[in-house]
């Protein structure tokens, strides 16, 4: 008499059906095993596998965006004199001021530390670097050594119509100066200078000069936030339009005089 016996998973006894033919438990194919092992290994390394789609990472993009916005805000506050040279500011306190967590503020301040604007104070925060008139004069000298020869060379090589295209940027510096806002003028001033130097086609030159220009705009120790008033900004902006007029008129002597004067009081 044939009987049906149910095998036990624990004992490993094969299951016997009514036909009396043992049924071998199904075994995975070698290819399946290799594929599963590969999936497991990939998952362990954090790689995407065929069994799951790539996971989008919008939070990282958003975080980078917030960090960039905070960096711009801190740079503006620095130029405007809202961050006092010599004072220590903590990331949590600044984060509360800007309505964000301390993390993007800390990352932005670390970038400013790399640029030389602030110093890291362990367990406290970041101290705004104290600069004197000597450092400002040194920055102006270095900028002049780099930019003056370039502008004089471009004055002979760049077509008149290319200089005329920079007129809106020069006029923007005049409007920014009229507002009396140092931060607004600082940005428009650097934009104009970058556009002039960009005509050289040398990206490294533009990057280095812009970094020096930015550092020259940081406030001096002991200086009042409005130490450089509206009249000074207007005079500086007027040199931009005068320089363009001379470049368009192809007057090399006037160009040289204006460039040297502009960098003599560079800020």
């Amino acid at each position: 008499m044939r009987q049906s016996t149910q095998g036990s998973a624990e004992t490993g006894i094969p299951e016997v059906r009514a036909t009396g033919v043992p049924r071998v438990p199904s075994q995975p194919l070698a290819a399946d095993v290799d594929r599963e092992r590969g999936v497991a290994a990939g998952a362990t390394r954090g790689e995407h596998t065929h069994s799951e789609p790539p996971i989008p990472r919008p939070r990282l993009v958003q975080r980078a965006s917030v960090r960039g916005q905070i960096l711009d805000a801190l740079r503006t506050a620095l130029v405007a004199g809202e961050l006092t040279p010599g004072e220590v500011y903590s990331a949590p306190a600044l984060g509360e001021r800007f309505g964000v967590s301390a993390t993007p503020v800390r990352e932005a301040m670390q970038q400013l530390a790399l640029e030389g604007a602030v110093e890291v104070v362990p367990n406290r925060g970041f101290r705004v670097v104290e600069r004197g008139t000597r450092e400002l004069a040194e920055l102006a000298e270095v900028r002049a050594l780099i930019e003056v020869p370039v502008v004089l060379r471009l004055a002979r090589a760049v077509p008149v119509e290319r200089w005329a295209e920079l007129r809106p940027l020069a006029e923007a510096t005049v409007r920014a100066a009229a507002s009396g806002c140092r931060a607004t003028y600082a940005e428009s001033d650097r934009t104009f200078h970058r556009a002039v130097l960009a005509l050289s086609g040398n990206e490294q030159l533009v990057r280095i000069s812009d970094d020096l220009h930015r550092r020259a705009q940081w406030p001096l120790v002991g200086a009042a936030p409005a130490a450089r008033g509206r009249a000074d900004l207007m005079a500086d902006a007027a040199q931009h339009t005068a320089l363009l007029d001379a470049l368009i008129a192809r007057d090399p002597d006037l160009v040289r005089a204006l460039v040297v004067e502009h960098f003599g009081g560079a800020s």
Side-chain angles (χ1 to χ4, degrees):
M1 176 177 176
R2 296 181 179 180
Q3 59 180 357
S4 174
T5 305
Q6 186 71 30
S8 170
E10 296 180 353
T11 61
I13 299 175
E15 179 183 78
V16 180
R17 288 183 289 181
T19 59
V21 180
R23 182 174 66 84
V24 180
S26 60
Q27 298 291 333
L29 296 176
D32 296 333
V33 173
D34 291 341
R35 183 169 57 252
E36 292 177 1
R37 288 176 179 172
V39 169
T44 302
R45 293 192 301 269
E47 300 174 353
H48 293 306
T49 65
H50 294 292
S51 61
E52 61 180 83
I55 300 176
R57 305 171 66 181
R59 295 184 63 182
L60 294 181
V61 175
Q62 182 179 13
R63 175 177 173 180
S65 176
V66 171
R67 180 179 57 201
Q69 293 175 23
I70 295 301
L71 179 59
D72 290 341
L74 288 171
R75 283 172 172 164
T76 298
L78 187 67
V79 174
E82 297 173 5
L83 298 179
T84 307
E87 291 294 323
V88 178
Y89 298 88
S90 69
L94 290 173
E96 183 176 353
R97 169 181 174 177
F98 293 117
V100 298
S101 68
T103 299
V105 175
R106 188 176 294 106
E107 293 173 346
M109 291 296 271
Q110 288 171 346
Q111 175 60 38
L112 289 179
L114 292 176
E115 296 175 3
V118 299
E119 300 171 332
V120 178
V121 182
N123 302 320
R124 292 186 59 193
F126 301 86
R127 177 186 291 111
V128 179
V129 171
E130 299 178 272
R131 302 184 317 117
T133 55
R134 178 176 178 177
E135 181 178 348
L136 184 62
E138 291 174 348
L139 287 169
E141 181 180 4
V142 175
R143 286 188 60 205
L145 289 172
I146 294 176
E147 296 191 41
V148 170
V150 174
V151 174
L152 294 178
R153 175 170 58 84
L154 293 176
R156 299 188 299 268
V158 175
V160 170
E161 55 269 18
R162 294 297 302 278
W163 292 121
E165 292 174 357
L166 301 186
R167 179 75 67 182
L169 297 180
E171 294 174 347
T173 67
V174 175
R175 292 192 299 271
S179 72
C181 176
R182 277 184 58 101
T184 301
Y185 180 74
E187 184 62 34
S188 64
D189 185 26
R190 290 204 325 278
T191 299
F192 174 77
H193 279 264
R194 283 198 304 267
V196 171
L197 296 177
L199 294 175
S200 69
N202 190 327
E203 295 181 2
Q204 299 303 317
L205 169 70
V206 176
R207 184 177 296 109
I208 292 173
S209 297
D210 189 56
D211 178 64
L212 292 170
H213 197 168
R214 186 191 301 278
R215 291 170 59 188
Q217 293 173 335
W218 298 337
L220 299 177
V221 60
R228 194 163 187 242
R230 180 175 176 275
D232 292 331
L233 299 181
M234 289 292 293
D236 193 70
Q239 292 178 350
H240 294 158
T241 55
L243 176 60
L244 274 187
D245 290 340
L247 289 166
I248 294 173
R250 293 294 192 186
D251 189 336
D253 293 333
L254 182 55
V255 169
R256 179 182 294 275
L258 288 171
V259 170
V260 171
E261 179 185 0
H262 189 62
F263 283 97
S267 63

